[in-house]
Amino acid sequence: MSTASLYTRRIEVSADETKPRKHQDHHLWKENLWRLAIVAVLIVAWQFAVDFGWVNAFLMGSPGGIAIEAWRQLQSGQLLSDTWTTLYATIVGFLLGSIGGSMAGLLLWYSRHVARIIDPFVVALNGLPKISLAPMIIIWFGSGMLSKVALAFIATFIVALLSAYQGTHQIDANLVNLMRSLGATKRQIFLKVVVPATLPWIISAFRLNIGFALIAEIGGEFIASDKGLGRSIFVAGNLFNLNAVWVGVLTLMLVAIALYLVVSRIERHLLPWESR
Amino acid sequence: MTLSTPLRETAAIPSVGADVAIALDHVEKHFEDKQGNPIPVIRDITLDIREHEFISIVGPSGCGKSTMFNIIANLLEPSAGSITLRGSHPIRGAHIGYMLQRDLLFPWRTILENVALGLEVAGVPRARRLAMSREHLERYNLADFADAYPHTLSGGMRQRVALIRTLITDPDVILLDEPFSALDYQTRLVLEEEILSILKSFDKTVVLITHDIGEAIAMSDRVAVMTQRPTSVKRLYEVGLSRRLGSCLKARSDPRYQTLFDQIWADLDIQMGGPAS
Ligand SMILES: Nc1ncnc2c1ncn2[C@@H]1O[C@H](COP(=O)(O)OP(=O)(O)O)[C@@H](O)[C@H]1O
Ligand SMILES: [Mg+2]
């Protein structure tokens, strides 16, 4: 029963992320053109609305103001150093958490007994909003980068563990039987069946974890930090500098997109047989 | 157990008195349900499988045929009785090649790596096992697919690859569990013929589970008909048509084929029309 709850949790976590996404390429440039057009129209409309006084630039910011602010931050080097700080803490926490969690989840395949014992702890931790740990983590690890890494780690570890563990339960029992009939050891079954069969689940957890790592990292920066995009957004918000808020938000968006692209690359590299 | 020999076999067919490859002696098997109550699946199987013969097992679905294979392959322990492979306890790996239902190729491995699986598990060094696998693929005209992934192949091709994977470790006994069930009729006929000729060239002992009576008669030296669960051997037929006539197709058009078909059908029919339905 206990293990069954680990199992069902995983479905909630990533039911719609389990299958790698496939796109057809032929209409891609046309679609991109439409997207560009939409963005251009939005920007122009926004700028007009501000210029004609229909929208309050003080409360909303304006495209022109955002561009000027972005240029200023680029010149001063603040934007790059904030981005780097956030990116670094996110990536380190994300990698440690996702890889560590996946490995822990895979290793649980070895022992149903251990899995059953730790199950309630995993379920409880999974339900907990990890950001609620931020004040504690900041007390322990300080307001610097280390606490952000720790937060991103915690936010990603459990997701990766659950995903990998449930992946090991989706393996075709016949594949394992085939290995056994060939005289394979448990270790051989683990390395040659369990790990590759679970890889798609692990990758899907990686994709989810980009978001979770960023939430934890930015949340941590909001609470206590001396650098980073989260801090920059937070401070700018307190000063009602909406243009600077937008610069931070848009940069974060770019960071998230870049991370997704990297994971997709890794996916294509690790799962060549999935690219049909 | 009823022993029926409707046909006198020729000398070429491994016959009564031939060496025994696998001896099942009063094998019983029961599983347990969640309450711990025993569910009997195999009541009593006593059967000698002869060296180099091709024997088919037909029986109602769910009667325990795959369970019997799992016991022969030493993946399951019998609840009672004993099983010997050439006189000793079967060991996993080397001696038995088990080809399970469907093709069961590993989707993350190329065809070449799939074929090499058994050698890899046995610890054959990489260069050597890949060379051997390539050789085998070439022999069966599958070399073009060596670097493809299984999902790009048709069902029939995948089944051929699975057979080569089974043969490459040179097992003494080959267990085929409904290998053709997922294929369309034409592919099945072609593959029956092809697989039979491959297996003959290796001169292996082969046990085939099938739900297709025609397939069993067309391919086998003997056919064992099983009862419903808990199962036992209901009847044994000496067949040997394809061995004598040289092909499955000829076996299918032989008059004895129809006679046997009707007899086996009747054996199964009695059970299927029995208390269950
Ligand atoms: N591990 C198991 N635990 C409990 N019941 C099982 C197990 N394996 C098979 N059975 C049951 O044993 C019966 C025979 O199964 P199987 O040997 O697969 O039948 P067949 O191959 O003849 O169709 C089925 O009713 C099946 O549900
Ligand atoms: Mg079966």
Side-chain angles (χ1 to χ4, degrees):
Chain A
M1 265 295 88
S2 266
T3 33
S5 56
L6 267 179
Y7 180 98
T8 45
R9 281 294 158 154
R10 170 60 175 70
I11 294 171
E12 292 166 22
V13 167
S14 64
D16 52 347
E17 286 279 349
T18 51
K19 274 285 138 200
R21 302 157 305 170
K22 302 276 129 69
H23 289 304
Q24 60 281 57
D25 284 357
H26 25 289
H27 295 307
L28 210 61
W29 68 270
K30 248 185 196 169
E31 286 173 2
N32 281 337
L33 215 62
W34 273 107
R35 290 175 185 133
L36 268 176
I38 290 169
V39 171
V41 167
L42 275 177
I43 289 174
V44 170
W46 186 358
Q47 188 62 51
F48 266 104
V50 169
D51 289 348
F52 286 96
W54 301 330
V55 157
N56 186 344
F58 181 68
L59 290 179
M60 294 288 288
S62 73
I66 294 169
I68 292 165
E69 176 64 23
W71 182 247
R72 195 190 62 75
Q73 287 193 23
L74 269 176
Q75 293 260 298
S76 71
Q78 187 204 336
L79 186 58
L80 275 182
S81 108
D82 280 342
T83 305
W84 174 245
T85 305
T86 297
L87 195 62
Y88 188 84
T90 305
I91 288 180
V92 173
F94 163 83
L95 283 180
L96 290 177
S98 299
I99 294 174
S102 300
M103 276 165 44
L106 281 170
L107 287 173
L108 281 180
W109 172 82
Y110 263 101
S111 171
R112 277 186 92 80
H113 189 61
V114 173
R116 201 163 306 160
I117 288 171
I118 69 159
D119 176 73
F121 303 115
V122 172
V123 170
L125 276 177
N126 187 47
L128 180 77
K130 309 314 173 282
I131 197 68
S132 66
L133 299 172
M136 215 159 27
I137 298 287
I138 285 165
I139 290 171
W140 292 342
F141 294 101
S143 63
M145 198 176 278
L146 193 59
S147 59
K148 312 307 176 297
V149 170
L151 276 166
F153 172 85
I154 293 169
T156 53
F157 185 88
I158 299 290
V159 174
L161 183 148
L162 282 171
S163 187
Y165 181 71
Q166 209 217 336
T168 66
H169 278 254
Q170 302 294 305
I171 296 169
D172 187 347
N174 285 319
L175 293 181
V176 176
N177 260 341
L178 173 73
M179 288 295 281
R180 294 209 300 142
S181 82
L182 290 169
T185 60
K186 194 157 187 183
R187 192 185 139 84
Q188 282 177 319
I189 294 174
F190 180 74
L191 292 176
K192 295 182 203 304
V193 177
V194 175
V195 172
T198 309
L199 264 185
W201 297 76
I202 291 174
I203 298 283
S204 79
F206 270 53
R207 218 187 271 126
L208 283 172
N209 272 342
I210 293 170
F212 289 142
L214 278 170
I215 291 172
E217 208 280 345
I218 298 299
E221 284 189 28
F222 280 2
I223 292 169
S225 58
D226 36 31
K227 266 195 276 182
L229 288 172
R231 177 192 149 80
S232 158
I233 292 168
F234 192 73
V235 170
N238 281 341
L239 299 173
F240 276 71
N241 181 354
L242 268 292
N243 288 329
V245 170
W246 275 112
V247 169
V249 169
L250 293 173
T251 311
L252 263 182
M253 214 138 82
L254 291 180
V255 166
I257 291 171
L259 290 176
Y260 270 103
L261 289 178
V262 169
V263 168
S264 298
R265 254 289 159 76
I266 293 172
E267 173 178 354
R268 236 173 307 154
H269 183 74
L270 285 181
L271 314 176
W273 67 92
E274 293 267 359
S275 52
R276 42 197 90 186
Chain B
M1 183 173 57
T2 344
L3 235 156
S4 125
T5 47
L7 293 166
R8 289 272 134 245
E9 70 286 342
T10 60
I13 303 169
S15 58
V16 186
D19 288 344
V20 173
I22 302 170
L24 292 134
D25 186 20
H26 296 292
V27 168
E28 289 172 35
K29 181 71 191 177
H30 55 77
F31 294 107
E32 278 173 12
D33 64 13
K34 290 198 181 78
Q35 284 77 44
N37 305 314
I39 311 167
V41 171
I42 295 176
R43 189 169 58 81
D44 175 353
I45 297 182
T46 298
L47 178 67
D48 284 348
I49 294 165
R50 301 166 191 160
E51 207 69 78
H52 306 305
E53 82 168 329
F54 190 121
I55 183 169
S56 288
I57 314 286
V58 295
S61 110
C63 76
K65 303 182 294 294
S66 297
T67 304
M68 169 184 158
F69 266 21
N70 286 330
I71 291 172
I72 296 177
N74 196 16
L75 299 178
L76 284 176
E77 283 291 322
S79 307
S82 73
I83 156 138
T84 50
L85 177 69
R86 291 191 173 152
S88 50
H89 191 68
I91 303 166
R92 275 183 212 161
H95 304 299
I96 290 179
Y98 192 175
M99 185 163 148
L100 294 105
Q101 232 149 344
R102 294 179 296 116
D103 53 74
L104 275 186
L105 299 178
F106 289 14
W108 51 84
R109 284 175 172 246
T110 63
I111 296 303
L112 187 70
E113 291 162 348
N114 264 292
V115 170
L117 182 70
L119 300 172
E120 187 175 330
V121 169
V124 176
R126 184 180 164 82
R128 185 129 158 269
R129 64 176 187 253
L130 290 185
M132 280 175 75
S133 305
R134 206 173 281 281
E135 231 169 77
H136 270 72
L137 284 172
E138 267 158 23
R139 194 180 315 162
Y140 302 106
N141 301 318
L142 287 164
D144 291 347
F145 302 104
D147 299 319
Y149 284 100
H151 68 81
T152 60
L153 271 64
S154 69
M157 283 298 180
R158 286 207 297 268
Q159 211 50 290
R160 287 180 177 91
V161 173
L163 182 73
I164 296 172
R165 175 181 65 188
T166 310
L167 288 171
I168 201 168
T169 52
D170 196 27
D172 302 323
V173 175
I174 291 170
L175 306 177
L176 306 170
D177 192 345
E178 304 198 15
F180 310 117
S181 55
L183 305 175
D184 62 84
Y185 188 64
Q186 259 133 325
T187 312
R188 217 148 82 191
L189 289 187
V190 173
L191 218 59
E192 275 174 19
E193 203 79 74
E194 203 177 302
I195 282 184
L196 197 65
S197 80
I198 292 173
L199 291 172
K200 258 185 203 154
S201 70
F202 280 85
D203 202 22
K204 301 285 185 200
T205 306
V206 184
V207 192
L208 168 76
I209 291 177
T210 175
H211 56 245
D212 183 338
I213 303 172
E215 186 172 285
I217 301 169
M219 295 183 82
S220 317
D221 298 319
R222 285 197 299 165
V223 175
V225 183
M226 311 299 288
T227 69
Q228 282 217 303
R229 200 185 80 198
T231 200
S232 57
V233 180
K234 179 171 194 196
R235 242 167 193 282
L236 268 169
Y237 289 91
E238 300 280 348
V239 184
L241 289 176
S242 62
R243 197 180 289 266
R244 232 165 320 170
L245 301 170
S247 84
C248 296
L249 211 62
K250 282 184 186 148
R252 280 180 190 271
S253 49
D254 194 273
R256 283 165 293 187
Y257 173 87
Q258 197 54 49
T259 318
L260 280 162
F261 195 103
D262 293 342
Q263 281 175 314
I264 294 174
W265 177 257
D267 283 343
L268 288 171
D269 215 9
I270 293 161
Q271 302 155 21
M272 289 192 281
S277 53

